[in-house]
Amino acid sequence: LARAEGATLFMVLLSAFSALLARYSGQTDVVVGTPIAGRNRGETEGLIVFFLNTLALRTDLSGDPAFRELLARVRETTLGAYAHQDVPFERVLEEIQSERSLSHSPVFQVMLNLQNFGAGGEAGGVPGLALEPLAGGGEEAARYDLTLYASETADGLHLQLVYDTDLFEAERMAELLGHLRTLLE
């Protein structure tokens, strides 16, 4: 489906995740944040420098679109955001004069992070350097209300949900992941 629609794995994930968030929240306007590497120029590819930026991707789910239509909307939004990925997120916040609060992140409270280091785990094209997940000493702290981490592995797609335990219960989040799996299948 993704290839036929000119979409990437990220676009399919964002479409399914946004549809699920809309269904759970009853909202037809969903904004999901995502980190972007900021390496869109050939001359920056080999540099070992932190270029990370954040994009806020707004998905319009009005009119109860079929998945192909939703995917087309997400594709258009995502490509538009990629075209402006060099604009720092802080500058976007200044321009829209987003009200700041210590209780929540401005613009979006949900994040999608597709961690695509390559099937072999090789780091950023550095020959001989491989990455391995580092087991944490306990539960990961939630920086947003809800973050979906996705990574491609030899066995398929691995999904992990990190959430604010003051807002969500483990059973409900397990249910959300199950629904997301059903949507993706």
Side-chain angles (χ1 to χ4, degrees):
L1 173 68
R3 287 186 191 170
E5 300 299 318
T8 63
L9 173 60
F10 176 80
M11 293 172 190
V12 171
L13 280 170
L14 180 59
S15 297
F17 193 42
S18 295
L20 191 62
L21 293 171
R23 184 66 58 114
Y24 270 63
S25 68
Q27 303 293 315
T28 59
D29 186 13
V30 175
V31 181
V32 174
T34 191
I36 189 144
R39 294 181 182 271
N40 58 346
R41 293 188 178 95
E43 58 270 15
T44 63
E45 288 296 321
L47 298 176
I48 301 176
V49 177
F50 192 66
F51 288 114
L52 194 66
N53 193 13
T54 304
L55 298 177
L57 303 171
R58 189 175 195 170
T59 303
D60 174 14
L61 290 113
S62 63
D64 195 24
F67 193 77
R68 282 186 190 268
E69 182 182 344
L70 176 59
L71 184 57
R73 290 179 189 181
V74 165
R75 181 181 182 277
E76 182 178 326
T77 297
T78 304
L79 292 176
Y82 290 165
H84 298 93
Q85 67 180 301
D86 292 333
V87 177
F89 187 63
E90 287 298 319
R91 181 157 179 228
V92 171
L93 294 178
E94 289 171 11
E95 289 296 319
I96 64 172
Q97 298 178 356
S98 177
E99 186 176 314
R100 299 293 186 108
S101 168
L102 294 177
S103 66
H104 66 275
S105 173
V107 183
F108 60 87
Q109 289 78 46
V110 177
M111 185 77 115
L112 170 59
N113 188 343
L114 176 59
Q115 300 169 322
N116 52 357
F117 297 117
E122 193 168 284
V126 179
L129 182 61
L131 298 178
E132 293 181 24
L134 181 64
E139 289 187 30
E140 185 174 342
R143 294 185 62 198
Y144 298 94
D145 292 354
L146 185 64
T147 300
L148 176 65
Y149 290 96
S151 57
E152 286 186 276
T153 67
D155 299 327
L157 192 61
H158 175 75
L159 302 175
Q160 178 185 8
L161 210 50
V162 176
Y163 56 91
D164 185 337
T165 56
D166 289 339
L167 297 175
F168 304 107
E169 295 179 358
E171 296 81 18
R172 185 69 166 156
M173 294 297 94
E175 183 178 281
L176 187 142
L177 271 177
H179 288 150
L180 182 59
R181 179 183 178 148
T182 300
L183 275 173
L184 292 171
E185 287 174 346

